[in-house]
Each structure stands twice: as structure tokens, then as C-alpha cells.
Amino acid sequence: MAGVVRIIEMLLILMVISLLLSIVFLELMKKFTYPLIYFGIGFTILLWLAMTVACAIYHNIAGAVIFGIFTILSIVYFIAIRSRIPFAVIMIRSVVQVIQDYPATQVTAYVSLVVHIAWVCLWSFTFSLSLRFTGNVYYVALVYLLISFYWVSEVIKNVVHVTVSGVVATNYFMRDRMPKNPTLGALQRSLTTSFGSICLGSLIVSLIKTLRTIVRSLRSESNNLLLCCIDCILSCIDGLVQYFNHYAYCQVAIYGKTFVRSAKDTWELFKTSGLEAIINDNLVDGVLWLGVFLNALTTGAVGIGIGVAFKYTHETGDYVLFFIVGFIIGFVLMVLAMQVIDSGIACTFVCFAEDRHSLQRTNPELYNKFMETYHLTIF
């Protein structure tokens, strides 16, 4: 019993530490945005370089050449888009301020983790029951369970995305007359009038993910070239659809459109401002993932420190386990926190690209900063 209490204490301490670190990093994102963007760029390039070196060490010449090319292309790409950094800086600072003003947005993300864990537990129990089936019934049940797993998981994630986007959009258009609890209002819309759109978009992604899982299962039995190509194509489609949906859901949150209407309008938006959106995301993503790994590594180190301070064990292997547990907790919680920022940035970009004059009315100072940096040349 004492051992269980110690484990719970350690987990709670690690979660609190990770949450505090996420709060600190948000403040750093607001005050040291420029350095963090450059660190994020360097972090991305170093990852490609590390994979290149790893392939070279293990004599994987083809892999080393491919990753080496990606490393060089990343350097050239970031040099080419450096003029867009000021716009990304203003975007990050403005969104972080909104999230800090309405911390319930992050609470919504953390609550979604609890809901997701409950869903995984229920799904696992149902999956164990399906093992009793045989023949074709088993395969049909397995496909159904795969679709349901991915579908519900996507719905939970997208409800948070639409909720955060709703809060950011409300601040964008109604900053001078904000409702008392915009997060609750946005969550209510996500779970009622916008829920059908969320479910439809999530279903598309879940079907693609299910096909990928089936193909990967077949590859484990017979890894031929055809299955490898199909898996690669499905992977690309999955990434493109998720990226597209990310912006389509912003339309759902901002205007309350149906998913089909949002998809059409997002396509039109990408025709005119798609390049700017991609560049902005590339600059921001480096900062977000830098925060995730810093939080995970720090929380992992704290896990080791807790083991030493409270003398939980004297075995080296146990300290490695403490680090892994801390790393996972820090990683998961920080990913949730950074997804909130990512949703806010995507929504702000859509709002600004489609209706700049509303920002001029509600927040002239931010409007002027955006206008000064948005029209800078890309190359």
C-alpha cells in the first residue's frame, strides 16, 4: 500500500511540475519570441542532421543521403522565409496573450485527456470481448472497432480545437464586448451546433487511419513493394487531410458553417493565402515542439531528482524508469498545451486573412503590427 501511495505522489508531483513549466514557457514565448523561433529553426535542422549522422554511423548510405538532402533543403528554406519571422512573432505573442487571458481553454484541453483515457479504457474492454468472435465476424468487428477508436479520438481532439478557435475568434471580432465566459460558450457550440461538422470531418480522417492500420498489418505479414507504396500514399493523404481540416474547423468555429461549406471556403483561402499559412506554421511549429521536448526532458530530470530526494530506490534501472515516466508526462501535457496555441494561431490567421477590418476596429494596435509585417516579401 505504501508503494502505491508513493507512486501516486510521484505522478502528481510530476504533473504539477509539467503544468508549471508549461505556464513558464508560455511567458517565455511572449517575451523571447525571436530567440525561440531561431532556436526552433535550429532544433528542426539539428533533427534532420542527427538522422543523417545516425544513418551514416550504421552504414545506411541511402538514408544518410536522403536525410542529408533534407537537412540542406531545410537550411535553404528557412533562409528564404526569414523575412516572414516578424509576422510569426506578432502572431505568437497575440495568441499567447489571449490564452493567458482565458486559461479555461487549456483546462478544456487537459479535461479532454481524461475523456480520452476513459474512451481508451472502454474501447480496450470492448476489444477484449471481440476476441471471442471467429471467422469473418471477427474481422468485421475489428474493422468497426478500429474506425470507432480513431473516430472518437479525432472527435475529442477536434472539439478542443473548435472550442479554442471559438474563443480566439470571439476575442478577434468582439474584443470590445467580450461575453462573461467565452470558453464555455465556445464549448457549448462545439458540442451542439458544430458537433455534426466535427464528426463528419473526423470520420474522414478515421477511415484513412483505419485503412493505414490494415495496410500496416498486411505489411507485417508480407512486406512487398505494393503495400509499402500504398502505405506511403495513405500516410501523405492522412497528413494533408488533417492539415486541411485544421483550417476548415476554424471556419466552423468562427462562422458556424457546415463542414462541407467550411471545406470549400478553406480551399478558396488556400488558393490566395495558402503559402503564407504554411510558412507561418513552419516557423511556429519549431517553437511549439521545442517547448514540448524541453518540458519532457525537464520533467524527466525532475523524476530522477524525486527518486534521489525521497530515496525511492538505489537501482540505476529504476532511475531510468523515473526519467521515462517524467518524460512521458511532460510530453503529453505539453503537447496538449501547445495544441491550444496551435489552434489559436490557425484561427487568428484565418480571421486576419478573411476580415482584417474587424481587427482594425477591435484592436488597432495589433492590426497595425500585423499589417506592417504581413506584406513583407517572402524571398
Side-chain angles (χ1 to χ4, degrees):
M1 187 63 181
V4 174
V5 172
R6 282 189 167 188
I7 291 174
I8 294 175
E9 288 177 348
M10 182 178 182
L11 293 177
L12 289 175
I13 292 172
L14 290 174
M15 285 190 286
V16 170
I17 292 296
S18 180
L19 292 175
L20 291 175
L21 288 172
S22 66
I23 294 173
V24 171
F25 190 75
L26 284 181
E27 196 62 32
L28 291 175
M29 286 177 69
K30 198 166 65 173
K31 292 185 177 180
F32 302 99
T33 321
Y34 273 103
L36 285 174
I37 284 183
Y38 283 109
F39 276 125
I41 292 172
F43 179 70
T44 303
I45 294 173
L46 284 176
L47 283 179
W48 287 117
L49 183 60
M51 288 187 284
T52 303
V53 173
C55 288
I57 291 175
Y58 288 99
H59 305 291
N60 184 350
I61 306 302
V65 171
I66 293 173
F67 287 126
I69 292 173
F70 276 112
T71 302
I72 295 172
L73 290 177
S74 296
I75 295 171
V76 173
Y77 174 70
F78 284 120
I79 291 174
I81 65 171
R82 65 189 183 280
S83 63
R84 304 297 295 180
I85 291 177
F87 179 75
V89 168
I90 303 301
M91 182 76 73
I92 291 173
R93 289 174 178 173
S94 63
V95 171
V96 169
Q97 186 60 59
V98 174
I99 300 305
Q100 289 180 330
D101 291 340
Y102 303 100
T105 51
Q106 289 194 305
V107 174
T108 304
Y110 296 134
V111 171
S112 74
L113 176 62
V114 178
V115 176
H116 203 171
I117 291 173
W119 163 241
V120 170
C121 293
L122 175 62
W123 186 88
S124 300
F125 175 72
T126 307
F127 177 76
S128 66
L129 295 178
S130 71
L131 296 176
R132 300 176 182 178
F133 298 132
T134 57
N136 293 332
V137 176
Y138 168 75
Y139 292 110
V140 172
L142 186 60
V143 171
Y144 171 77
L145 285 172
L146 282 174
I147 294 174
S148 66
F149 177 79
Y150 289 126
W151 194 7
V152 175
S153 298
E154 285 294 315
V155 166
I156 294 171
K157 181 185 73 174
N158 291 324
V159 164
V160 176
H161 174 49
V162 173
T163 300
V164 175
S165 298
V167 175
V168 173
T170 303
N171 181 79
Y172 185 95
F173 292 104
M174 302 174 59
R175 187 170 182 265
D176 49 349
R177 54 185 191 279
M178 285 291 287
K180 186 176 181 180
N181 193 338
T183 307
L184 181 59
L187 179 61
Q188 289 175 341
R189 292 192 295 273
S190 298
L191 295 175
T192 53
T193 55
S194 299
F195 193 66
S197 297
I198 293 173
C199 290
L200 178 57
S202 300
L203 177 61
I204 296 171
V205 174
S206 66
L207 291 174
I208 297 172
K209 288 184 177 295
T210 300
L211 287 174
R212 285 189 65 192
T213 302
I214 294 173
V215 170
R216 287 182 175 181
S217 176
L218 294 174
R219 282 187 63 188
S220 65
E221 299 176 3
S222 177
N223 190 18
N224 56 52
L225 180 60
L226 177 61
L227 290 175
C228 182
C229 292
I230 294 174
D231 187 19
C232 181
I233 293 171
L234 287 174
S235 176
C236 294
I237 294 174
D238 184 22
L240 290 172
V241 171
Q242 288 200 59
Y243 186 79
F244 183 84
N245 282 2
H246 191 63
Y247 282 89
Y249 285 132
C250 291
Q251 299 272 357
V252 172
I254 297 166
Y255 305 108
K257 301 174 182 176
T258 64
F259 180 77
V260 175
R261 180 72 259 173
S262 297
K264 291 179 180 179
D265 291 345
T266 300
W267 179 249
E268 293 301 319
L269 176 66
F270 275 11
K271 286 181 180 179
T272 57
S273 305
L275 181 59
E276 287 86 352
I278 294 170
I279 291 173
N280 192 64
D281 286 340
N282 288 335
L283 291 171
V284 171
D285 284 350
V287 178
L288 302 184
W289 280 110
L290 179 65
V292 169
F293 281 103
L294 285 176
N295 191 311
L297 290 172
T298 305
T299 309
V302 170
I304 296 176
I306 292 173
V308 174
F310 292 94
K311 299 179 180 179
Y312 283 162
T313 182
H314 297 288
E315 298 292 333
T316 303
D318 290 337
Y319 288 123
V320 174
L321 179 61
F322 292 160
F323 175 81
I324 293 174
V325 170
F327 185 92
I328 293 173
I329 289 175
F331 187 90
V332 172
L333 293 181
M334 195 60 174
V335 162
L336 291 173
M338 293 298 98
Q339 282 179 345
V340 171
I341 302 297
D342 188 42
S343 296
I345 287 174
C347 181
T348 302
F349 183 88
V350 172
C351 290
F352 183 73
E354 295 197 337
D355 189 353
R356 302 171 192 181
H357 298 296
S358 292
L359 183 63
Q360 187 178 21
R361 172 179 55 82
T362 59
N363 195 341
E365 182 182 357
L366 181 60
Y367 170 81
N368 291 331
K369 290 179 179 178
F370 273 159
M371 292 303 294
E372 289 171 3
T373 56
Y374 185 70
H375 293 296
L376 293 175
T377 56
I378 296 176
F379 299 104

